[in-house]
């Protein structure tokens, strides 16, 4: 790597290379399309079977044909999208059928690289470089040919992992068991409502209103609205909140509507003598005209009653002036409808009780439902197409018949026939769909303008559906059946996302009603008690801060053959990124079940990925489609900390080390009939004189056939790869037993300086540790520590990396800073007492840097150099050689690696601007105060463990130690502090004026005065 790229970063510094326009450069494939677009691309390739549930009893509905002009536009749009999508996504079923014929014509049922490119260019318009890359991905064993079975396996596994990735994004769950509290209600709760201050309001048939805390579900207060003078309590059927006037409407079994003040709960007025018993209430007001509202209720005769109020304030003032009955203004519908231009309509709609109704502004209609199959759901106009008052005047009908029910015209309503009726419905304004559920346990999705057949049927409930809610914001449907089973459905592809039964949420009693709160993402369920079921946070969901992973990143690697970055986290998730755009190309999960991936590397060909985990297993992958090619099994299940590929006299091996304190060597077989592979016999000298503590890291120097391993106690052993004998032992002389017990002696990273070759006078090995310091070792002459220094920051070194020329050392520390040193002339002949020259330094993360990769890209004979960093903060970031921020992998805005105008510089990640830390004084003079690259801050917490208990399980001790920050100093802690001096006691004035002036002085003051004299 060129050291000029690592010059100190100031506000005036600029990148030295020139960039051609993006149109003149060949571009590789972009990342995976997201969400719905991704599934559309999969469907075109015929590898996904999209299930569609049909009802044999219902006729099909065909879509209208698309015009030729629109079809041409769609085809042109698809062709334009194909130029930017990946090659694998553009291979359709027709192309695979044609390609299969070419495979069959071959004698070996396989194709070479040249034949594959020739046939694919005939079938698909694409770049030849894309075909070469696809061939190399399939030919993971570097055999030079691919078979038809391998080609199909690659395509199928890739699409399956994409579907799993999409499923992880949609995953939803509930925190179980539910929080359950007792209620003051003596009867069944028939409605739960949400007030403007997010307080839950419950109402029961005995007239008790309860107010509940939305977070803890604690009872704030309760109020009874029943008349205390009556010997028999009123039967409360439903209630609703008037949000524009802060009033409560209560429907009773005495065919009355009661209006109460929302603050004092004092009775305001009553509407009595209704034609039937109101069973369900609803209210709507125009947000643009707060005075205009609609009050509607359904009754036991199947009628929809509507009160259209143009001026709410005027209407309530008129109603308040009506004659009082028992001290409360009371009027009937005939009287009410004649005041303040209030209009009343009563429509005969259903043949059974109305169980639900709601006004939808988008449809300008009232939606109602009943248990009658012939009128399961009805969408009808509020006033109808005929003016009722004009008809009454023309026919000289008496005014009292205004309360008579009338039939709507067929053009004024749409009737949906639903088998066994509808108990609950919901309408989505975003998707313009109507969802119904009822006694037949089937969830139906309708087009509100097409009543002949639902667009989808969702089956899964084993009991009648009694609650239904559509969350447009979350693109989900929440349903609850009478057996208290909660189900969540995806609104886009109609697939089930979650199902929680009684055994999980532990809600007892008969289901009465429920309410879902989109803001707090909680589901309140009323039975005999009140229960709160909280939605668990999806860790794969996108957040405001860009996260490459949802768990701590433990290892990263760059593949220069495919220009891809591979990263793995503690949740055993492996992601493949495009270095040119920062987009996620592919990912696969459960690489090591639920165990953390501790290390990974590529084989010598760069086509296979080798990973190790805390489950003690090493696996070899075709990482482009998530296929596990081989599993390397040892004789124990101890954690594997490091795995590396080595080549000795043209023989390829894989070496892994870990908690078993052994060096395990496996043959790297490209072709084998067995999926499982076992190690070669252990080296004899490793058995007798090997490490006495857990081995943490290993590094190989193929030019000298040397292998270096480091352990938890700080010992470094250099081995000969040819004979298996110990070449030398390296250990810090000032190391104490206490440091070894606390983990300070651990050597976590090793790095050979291979370019220095067999130079016996120079340092050829670099170690990170002991004491979180960087050490330079000469492995010859018995081993000599030629240099030792600490990073610039107060935190210790956590990761190191050198460039290919061995002239630049990049060090990441526990505070998240990146330090770049010039080591071209460092420790070549004699030992060094000072640290090497610091070229540049910047803050990359808020926690300890776990991984560093140095990347070199070529563009028109110009080398572009970048630094890839990863940390515990779940972010994977790319920087230029001089510390300019390119971006975070997974961010929305894609960068163009060849165009510096697309970089995020001069911006920096927002999380690094928290909790400032002190900048080292040696570089303060060289930093511009306005340079954002040196706004160095931290939020790392101190974790110190003095005693390590036995049997810690698969939690590595050195991981705990690496998170420890020694001598952490912040700006706040560096402020000077002074002791507070107490105010001296006040002297009493002299009693008389004849006292000697010296008598009021104490002994110390007299002594001081005498000294002065």
């Amino acid at each position: 790597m060129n050291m000029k790229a690592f010059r100190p970063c100031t506000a005036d510094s600029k990148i030295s290379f020139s960039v051609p326009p993006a149109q003149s450069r060949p571009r590789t494939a972009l990342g995976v399309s997201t969400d719905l677009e991704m599934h559309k691309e999969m469907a075109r390739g015929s590898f996904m079977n999209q299930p569609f549930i049909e009802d044999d009893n219902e006729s099909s509905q065909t879509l209208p044909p698309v015009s030729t002009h629109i079809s041409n536009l769609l085809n042109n749009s698809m062709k334009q999208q194909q130029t930017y999508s990946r090659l694998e996504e553009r291979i359709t079923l027709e192309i695979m059928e044609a390609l299969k014929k070419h495979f069959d014509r071959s004698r070996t049922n396989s194709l070479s690289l040249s034949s594959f490119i020739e046939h694919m260019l005939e079938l698909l318009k694409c770049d030849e470089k894309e075909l070469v890359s696809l061939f190399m991905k399939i030919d993971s064993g570097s055999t030079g040919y691919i078979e038809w079975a391998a080609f199909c396996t690659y395509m199928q596994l890739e699409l399956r992992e994409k579907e799993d990735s999409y499923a992880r994004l949609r995953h939803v769950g509930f925190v179980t068991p539910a929080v359950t509290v007792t209620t003051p209600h003596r009867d069944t709760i028939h409605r739960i409502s949400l007030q403007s201050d997010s307080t839950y309001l419950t109402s029961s048939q005995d007239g008790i209103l309860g107010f509940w805390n939305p977070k803890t579900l604690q009872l704030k207060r309760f109020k009874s609205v029943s008349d205390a003078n009556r010997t028999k309590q009123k039967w409360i059927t439903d209630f609703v909140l008037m949000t524009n006037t802060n009033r409560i409407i209560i429907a009773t079994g005495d065919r009355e509507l009661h209006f109460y003040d929302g603050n004092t709960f004092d009775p305001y007025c009553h509407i009595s003598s209704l034609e039937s018993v109101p069973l369900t209430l609803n209210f709507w007001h125009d947000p643009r005209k707060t005075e205009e509202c609609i009050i509607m209720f359904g009754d036991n005769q199947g009628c929809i009653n509507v009160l259209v109020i143009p001026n709410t304030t005027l209407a309530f003032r008129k109603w308040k002036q009506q004659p009082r009955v028992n001290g409360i203004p009371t009027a009937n519908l005939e009287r009410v409808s004649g005041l303040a231009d209030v209009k009343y309509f009563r429509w005969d709609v259903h043949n059974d009780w109305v169980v639900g109704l709601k006004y939808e502004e988008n449809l300008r209609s009232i939606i109602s439902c009943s248990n009658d199959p012939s009128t399961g759901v009805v969408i009808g106009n509020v006033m109808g197409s005929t003016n009722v008052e004009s008809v009454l005047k023309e026919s000289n009908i008496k005014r009292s018949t205004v309360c008579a029910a009338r039939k709507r015209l067929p053009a004024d309503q749409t009737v949906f026939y639903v088998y066994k009726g509808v108990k609950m419905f919901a309408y989505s304004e975003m998707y313009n769909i109507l969802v119904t559920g009822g006694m037949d346990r089937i969830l139906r999705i309708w087009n509100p303008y097409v009543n002949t057949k639902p667009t989808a049927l969702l089956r899964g409930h084993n009991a009648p559906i009694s609650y239904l809610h559509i969350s447009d914001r979350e693109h989900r449907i929440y349903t609850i059946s009478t057996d208290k089973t909660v189900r969540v459905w995806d609104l886009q592809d109609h697939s089930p996302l979650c199902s929680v039964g009684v055994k999980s949420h532990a809600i007892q009693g008969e289901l009465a009603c429920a309410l879902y709160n989109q803001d707090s993402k909680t589901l309140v369920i009323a039975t005999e008690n009140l229960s709160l079921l909280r939605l668990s946070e999806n860790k794969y969901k996108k957040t405001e801060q860009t996260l490459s992973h949802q768990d701590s990143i433990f290892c990263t690697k760059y593949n220069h053959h495919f220009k891809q970055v591979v990263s793995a986290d503690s949740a055993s998730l492996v992601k493949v990124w495009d270095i040119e755009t920062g987009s996620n190309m592919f990912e696969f999960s459960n690489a090591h079940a639920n165990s953390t991936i501790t290390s990974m590397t590529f084989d010598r060909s760069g086509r296979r990925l080798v990973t190790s985990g805390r489950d003690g297993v090493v696996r070899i992958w075709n990482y482009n489609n998530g296929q596990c090619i081989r599993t390397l099994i040892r004789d124990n299940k101890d954690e594997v900390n490091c795995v590396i590929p080595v080549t000795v006299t043209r023989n390829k091996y894989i070496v892994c080390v870990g908690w078993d304190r052994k060096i395990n060597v496996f043959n790297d077989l490209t072709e084998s009939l067995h999926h499982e592979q076992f190690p070669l016999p252990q080296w004899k000298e490793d058995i007798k004189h090997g490490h006495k503590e857990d081995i943490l890291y290993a590094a190989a120097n193929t030019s000298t056939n040397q292998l270096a391993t480091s352990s938890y106690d700080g010992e470094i052993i250099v081995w000969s790869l040819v004979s298996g004998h110990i070449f030398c032992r390296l250990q810090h002389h000032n190391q104490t037993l206490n440091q070894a017990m606390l983990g300070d002696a651990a050597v976590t990273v090793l790095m050979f300086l291979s370019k220095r070759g067999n130079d016996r006078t120079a340092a050829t090995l670099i170690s990170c540790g002991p004491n979180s310091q960087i050490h330079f070792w000469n492995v010859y002459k018995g081993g000599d520590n030629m240099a030792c220094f600490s990073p610039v920051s107060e935190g210790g070194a956590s990761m190191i990396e050198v460039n290919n020329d061995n002239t630049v050392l990049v060090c990441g520390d526990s505070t998240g800073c990146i330090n770049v040193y010039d080591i071209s002339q460092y420790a070549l002949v004699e030992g060094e007492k000072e640290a090497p020259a610091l070229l540049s330094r910047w803050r990359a993360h808020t926690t300890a840097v776990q991984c560093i990769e140095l990347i070199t890209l070529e563009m028109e004979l110009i080398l572009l150099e970048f630094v890839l960093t990863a940390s515990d903060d779940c972010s994977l970031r790319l920087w230029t050689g001089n510390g300019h921020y390119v971006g975070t992998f997974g961010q929305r805005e894609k960068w163009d690696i060849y165009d510096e105008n697309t970089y995020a510089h001069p911006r920096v990640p927002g999380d690094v601007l928290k909790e400032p830390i002190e900048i080292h004084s040696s570089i303060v003079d060289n930093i511009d105060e306005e340079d954002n690259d040196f706004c160095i801050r931290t939020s790392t917490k101190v974790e110190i463990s003095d005693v390590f208990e036995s049997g810690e399980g698969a939690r590595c001790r050195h991981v705990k130690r690496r998170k420890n920050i020694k001598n952490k100093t912040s700006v706040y802690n560096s402020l000077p502090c002074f002791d507070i001096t107490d105010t001296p006691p006040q002297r009493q004035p002299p009693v008389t004026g004849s006292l000697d002036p010296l008598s009021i002085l104490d002994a110390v003051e007299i002594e001081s005065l005498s000294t002065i004299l």
Side-chain angles (χ1 to χ4, degrees):
M1 182 174 287
N2 186 7
M3 289 187 298
K4 294 182 179 180
F6 288 103
R7 60 183 180 275
C9 181
T10 61
D12 298 330
S13 60
K14 297 182 180 179
I15 303 177
S16 58
F17 50 81
S18 60
V19 181
Q23 292 80 1
S24 62
R25 297 192 313 271
R27 295 297 305 275
T28 59
L30 296 179
V32 180
S33 55
T34 58
D35 299 339
L36 192 58
E37 296 179 358
M38 180 182 72
H39 280 267
K40 291 180 180 178
E41 292 292 336
M42 292 181 184
R44 298 188 189 100
S46 76
F47 282 98
M48 276 194 57
N49 295 324
Q50 298 288 345
F52 180 76
I53 305 173
E54 295 184 354
D55 195 346
D56 297 335
N57 298 327
E58 299 175 355
S59 60
S60 62
Q61 179 73 18
T62 59
L63 296 176
V66 183
S67 63
T68 306
H69 176 68
I70 297 179
S71 179
N72 294 333
L73 291 178
L74 291 176
N75 292 332
N76 294 334
S77 178
M78 288 298 304
K79 292 179 181 179
Q80 187 176 6
Q81 290 181 5
Q82 289 179 358
T83 60
Y84 296 99
S85 59
R86 298 179 61 206
L87 177 61
E88 293 89 333
E89 299 172 3
R90 305 201 301 267
I91 299 178
T92 60
L93 180 61
E94 292 77 10
I95 295 177
M96 293 194 65
E97 290 176 350
L99 187 63
K100 176 68 166 56
K101 297 179 182 179
H102 295 291
F103 275 97
D104 294 338
R105 294 171 186 168
S106 175
R107 296 180 180 179
T108 60
N109 197 22
S110 61
L111 295 177
S112 62
L113 175 60
S114 58
S115 299
F116 178 76
I117 294 176
E118 179 183 356
H119 297 318
M120 285 297 295
L121 289 177
E122 296 175 356
L123 301 174
L124 182 65
K125 293 182 179 180
C126 58
D127 189 4
E128 186 175 342
K129 294 182 179 179
E130 292 182 296
L131 295 175
V132 174
S133 177
L134 177 61
F135 185 90
M136 294 175 62
K137 293 176 182 178
I138 301 174
D139 183 22
S140 59
S142 303
T143 59
Y145 60 88
I146 58 175
E147 298 178 350
W148 172 251
F151 180 80
C152 293
T153 301
Y154 173 83
M155 298 295 295
Q156 185 176 9
L157 289 178
E158 184 187 18
L159 293 173
R160 187 188 67 180
E161 292 297 337
K162 288 179 181 178
E163 186 177 5
D164 294 342
S165 174
Y166 179 63
R168 282 192 294 271
L169 291 175
R170 301 180 305 158
H171 174 73
V172 64
F174 289 93
V175 179
T176 56
V179 179
T180 303
V181 296
T182 58
T183 67
H185 299 283
R186 299 186 296 270
D187 211 333
T188 304
I189 299 175
H190 53 69
R191 183 184 282 266
I192 305 173
S193 182
L194 189 65
Q195 290 187 304
S196 58
D197 60 348
S198 300
T199 300
Y200 293 120
L201 175 60
T202 59
S203 173
S204 57
Q205 294 180 2
D206 55 4
I208 294 179
L209 300 179
F211 298 83
W212 306 85
N213 187 298
K215 295 182 179 179
T216 61
L217 209 63
Q218 293 181 351
L219 181 63
K220 292 183 176 181
R221 64 186 185 276
F222 67 93
K223 177 73 174 179
S224 177
V225 295
S226 299
D227 190 358
N229 298 328
R230 290 175 57 96
T231 57
K232 184 179 180 180
Q233 288 186 345
K234 290 181 178 291
W235 174 35
I236 307 299
T237 59
D238 200 1
F239 87 98
V240 69
L241 297 175
M242 296 184 66
T243 53
N244 62 336
T245 59
N246 194 20
R247 289 186 176 88
I248 300 176
I249 309 175
I250 294 179
T252 68
D254 295 342
R255 298 185 302 167
E256 295 177 344
L257 294 180
H258 295 186
F259 294 84
Y260 290 85
D261 186 272
N263 296 323
T264 62
F265 301 101
D266 295 332
Y268 192 85
C269 64
H270 289 176
I271 298 179
S272 61
S273 303
L274 302 179
E275 293 295 323
S276 56
V277 179
L279 299 178
T280 176
L281 276 170
N282 209 298
F283 171 81
W284 175 87
H285 78 94
D286 192 346
R288 298 177 298 271
K289 303 176 183 179
T290 57
E291 294 295 331
E292 182 179 348
C293 68
I294 299 176
I295 300 174
M296 65 206 87
F297 60 91
D299 56 29
N300 59 339
Q301 297 180 1
C303 296
I304 303 298
N305 302 266
V306 184
L307 281 171
V308 180
I309 306 175
N311 193 320
T312 307
T313 304
L314 179 60
F316 274 94
R317 188 183 305 117
K318 295 289 185 180
W319 295 354
K320 188 72 172 178
Q321 298 172 359
Q322 297 304 306
R324 295 177 177 268
V325 178
N326 295 328
I328 302 174
T330 305
N332 55 19
L333 279 176
E334 297 179 6
R335 181 63 179 166
V336 166
S337 59
L339 298 174
D341 296 331
V342 176
K343 297 179 181 179
Y344 172 71
F345 303 93
R346 189 164 189 255
W347 302 108
D348 186 5
V349 178
H350 298 278
N351 300 326
D352 201 347
W353 290 6
V354 181
V355 295
L357 80 166
K358 186 179 180 182
Y359 176 80
E360 291 296 342
E361 184 182 10
N362 190 39
L363 301 176
R364 297 181 180 273
S365 303
I366 296 177
I367 306 176
S368 59
C369 65
S370 69
N371 292 322
D372 176 45
S374 61
T375 57
V377 176
V378 178
I379 303 176
N381 294 342
V382 177
M383 302 181 186
S385 58
T386 304
N387 191 333
V388 178
E389 290 186 355
S390 62
V391 173
L392 290 176
K393 291 179 181 180
E394 292 175 0
S395 58
N396 295 323
I397 300 178
K398 293 183 180 180
R399 183 68 181 176
S400 59
T401 59
V402 71
C403 298
R406 298 174 58 85
K407 289 283 188 180
R408 286 196 185 107
L409 296 176
D412 292 340
Q413 66 180 12
T414 304
V415 181
F416 295 80
Y417 174 86
V418 183
Y419 180 65
K420 290 188 177 182
V422 175
K423 291 177 63 68
M424 184 63 63
F425 71 88
Y427 173 77
S428 171
E429 183 177 353
M430 177 184 295
Y431 291 92
N432 193 25
I433 59 173
L434 179 67
V435 183
T436 62
M439 295 294 296
D440 61 349
R441 310 184 299 273
I442 299 177
L443 203 64
R444 290 176 171 85
I445 301 178
W446 304 81
N447 183 336
Y449 303 104
V450 180
N451 60 349
T452 55
K453 180 180 175 65
T455 58
L457 301 175
L458 307 182
R459 292 183 173 94
H461 280 288
N462 298 321
I465 300 173
S466 60
Y467 178 75
L468 171 63
H469 176 79
I470 299 178
S471 177
D472 290 338
R473 187 187 309 170
E474 302 170 2
H475 311 287
R476 296 173 186 156
I477 304 174
Y478 294 86
T479 58
I480 306 177
S481 55
T482 54
D483 59 356
K484 298 184 293 297
T485 299
V486 181
R487 283 185 173 271
V488 185
W489 312 80
D490 189 270
L491 198 54
Q492 294 178 340
D493 59 6
H494 307 156
S495 61
L497 300 180
C498 177
S499 178
V500 181
V502 179
K503 293 183 178 180
S504 299
H505 57 62
I507 299 176
Q508 303 299 326
E510 184 179 356
L511 180 65
C513 59
L515 174 70
Y516 180 73
N517 187 354
Q518 286 191 117
D519 296 330
S520 61
K521 296 183 179 180
T522 53
L523 189 63
V524 183
I525 302 175
T527 55
E528 298 172 353
N529 302 315
L530 200 63
S531 302
L532 183 69
L533 200 57
R534 192 177 302 277
L535 200 67
S536 60
E537 295 183 0
N538 183 6
K539 66 179 182 178
Y540 298 103
K541 201 72 176 177
K542 295 182 180 179
T543 57
E544 294 181 0
Q545 180 182 349
T546 301
L547 299 179
S548 307
H549 287 254
Q550 299 299 327
D551 297 275
S552 299
I553 301 176
F554 268 49
C555 41
T556 59
K557 283 294 178 181
Y558 172 69
N559 191 318
H560 66 277
H561 296 286
F562 302 109
K563 296 182 179 180
Q564 295 173 347
V565 174
V566 182
S567 59
D569 59 23
S570 59
S572 198
L573 177 67
V574 179
K575 289 190 175 185
V576 182
W577 308 89
D578 183 13
I579 188 66
E580 295 185 346
T581 61
S583 59
N584 185 11
M585 302 182 65
F586 182 73
E587 65 181 54
F588 59 94
S589 61
N590 298 323
H592 287 264
N594 295 325
S595 300
T596 300
I597 299 177
T598 56
S599 175
M600 69 180 181
T601 185
F602 290 105
D603 66 346
R604 293 299 177 183
S605 65
R607 303 187 186 185
R608 297 178 300 164
L609 180 70
V610 185
T611 63
S612 64
R614 286 181 176 165
D615 56 356
V617 178
V618 178
R619 289 187 170 92
I620 303 176
W621 304 85
N622 183 347
Y623 71 94
N624 287 289
N625 64 350
Q627 178 187 7
C628 182
I629 302 174
R630 193 168 296 107
T631 302
L632 310 183
I633 301 177
R634 303 174 301 151
D635 56 356
N636 56 75
K637 295 297 182 181
D638 294 331
E639 177 180 330
V640 179
N641 289 328
C642 185
V643 56
I644 58 173
V646 296
T647 302
V648 182
T649 62
R650 297 184 180 181
N651 296 322
K652 298 180 180 180
Y653 303 94
I654 295 177
V655 178
C656 62
V657 295
W659 283 20
D660 59 354
R661 305 171 185 178
K662 301 177 182 178
I663 299 176
N664 300 275
V665 183
F666 296 85
N667 280 320
D668 187 6
L669 304 176
T670 57
E671 294 184 0
S672 177
L673 299 177
H674 303 284
H675 179 75
E676 296 181 350
Q677 185 178 341
F678 297 91
L680 299 175
Q682 189 179 359
W683 294 343
K684 294 182 180 180
E685 196 157 354
D686 183 24
I687 300 175
K688 297 179 180 180
H689 308 291
H691 287 280
K692 306 302 179 184
E693 262 289 354
D694 301 342
I695 303 178
L696 304 183
Y697 207 84
N701 188 355
T702 55
S703 61
T704 58
N705 289 328
Q706 292 176 344
L707 175 70
T709 57
S710 62
S711 60
Y712 186 78
D713 57 1
E715 184 181 27
I716 302 175
I717 300 179
V718 181
W719 308 79
S720 172
L721 285 173
V722 178
S723 63
H725 294 298
I726 296 178
F727 187 80
C728 67
R729 291 179 181 269
L730 309 175
Q731 194 159 9
H732 200 274
H733 300 294
N734 298 330
Q735 178 180 314
T736 62
L737 180 61
N738 187 31
Q739 289 177 335
M741 292 299 296
L742 293 177
D744 293 339
V747 178
T748 56
V749 184
L750 293 174
M751 197 71 58
F752 271 108
L753 300 176
S754 57
K755 292 297 182 180
R756 297 189 179 185
N758 294 321
D759 190 352
R760 297 180 178 272
T761 62
T764 57
L765 181 65
I766 307 177
S767 68
C768 183
N771 302 321
S772 298
Q773 295 177 329
I774 301 175
H775 297 258
F776 281 70
W777 302 90
N778 186 331
V779 299
Y780 300 98
K781 301 179 183 180
D784 182 21
N785 188 7
M786 299 185 64
C788 174
F789 65 92
S790 298
V792 174
S793 63
E794 298 294 337
S798 59
M799 178 57 63
I800 57 175
E801 183 67 37
V802 295
N803 62 340
N804 295 330
D805 297 333
N806 297 160
T807 56
V808 173
L809 170 67
V810 181
C811 168
D813 57 33
S814 56
T815 63
C817 294
I818 300 297
N819 306 273
V820 183
Y821 298 95
D822 177 15
I823 60 171
S824 57
Q825 303 296 324
Y826 192 73
L828 284 178
V829 180
E830 299 178 351
E832 304 284 351
K833 296 182 180 179
E834 300 294 335
L838 181 65
L839 299 178
S840 62
R841 180 173 183 261
W842 67 89
R843 185 81 188 281
H845 300 275
T846 58
T847 57
V849 178
Q850 294 285 2
C851 308
I852 298 176
E853 287 285 324
L854 303 183
I855 301 173
T856 302
L857 297 176
E858 184 177 354
M859 184 193 69
E860 296 182 358
L861 303 179
I862 300 178
L863 295 181
L864 310 181
E865 297 167 338
F866 301 92
V867 179
L868 177 71
T869 61
S871 174
D872 289 336
D873 59 6
C874 308
S875 61
L876 180 66
R877 289 168 179 163
L878 188 65
W879 312 80
T880 62
N882 50 15
H884 289 175
Y885 179 46
V886 177
T888 300
F889 286 87
Q891 66 184 21
R892 294 181 179 178
E893 300 82 8
K894 309 304 179 185
W895 65 70
D896 185 348
I897 199 68
Y898 303 105
D899 185 4
E900 62 178 355
N901 295 324
T902 62
Y903 297 172
H905 181 77
R907 293 178 297 161
V908 294
D911 56 337
V912 302
L913 301 178
K914 299 178 181 178
E915 299 184 19
I917 63 174
E918 187 177 7
I919 302 177
H920 198 274
S921 58
S922 62
I923 61 173
V924 168
D925 297 336
N926 298 327
I927 300 175
D928 190 352
E929 294 181 357
E930 297 181 357
D931 189 2
N932 291 333
D933 289 336
F934 287 93
C935 294
I936 305 176
R937 306 172 183 241
T938 184
S939 60
T940 311
K941 297 181 180 179
V942 178
E943 297 181 4
I944 301 176
S945 178
D946 295 332
V947 180
F948 296 101
E949 300 179 358
S950 60
E952 285 186 304
R955 187 60 188 167
C956 195
R957 292 176 290 176
H958 71 277
V959 175
K960 295 181 179 179
R961 185 203 62 78
R962 289 171 68 176
K963 292 184 179 180
N964 179 23
I965 300 178
K966 305 173 185 178
N967 302 325
K968 177 183 176 182
T969 304
S970 64
V971 175
Y972 176 79
N973 294 330
S974 63
L975 295 175
C977 300
F978 303 94
D979 296 333
I980 299 177
T981 305
D982 296 334
T983 304
Q986 187 176 2
R987 296 185 180 89
Q988 296 295 332
V991 180
T992 61
S994 59
L995 292 178
D996 187 359
L998 296 178
S999 63
I1000 62 175
L1001 301 177
D1002 54 16
V1004 178
E1005 293 174 336
I1006 294 175
E1007 183 178 0
S1008 302
L1009 184 60
S1010 61
T1011 303
I1012 296 173
L1013 294 175

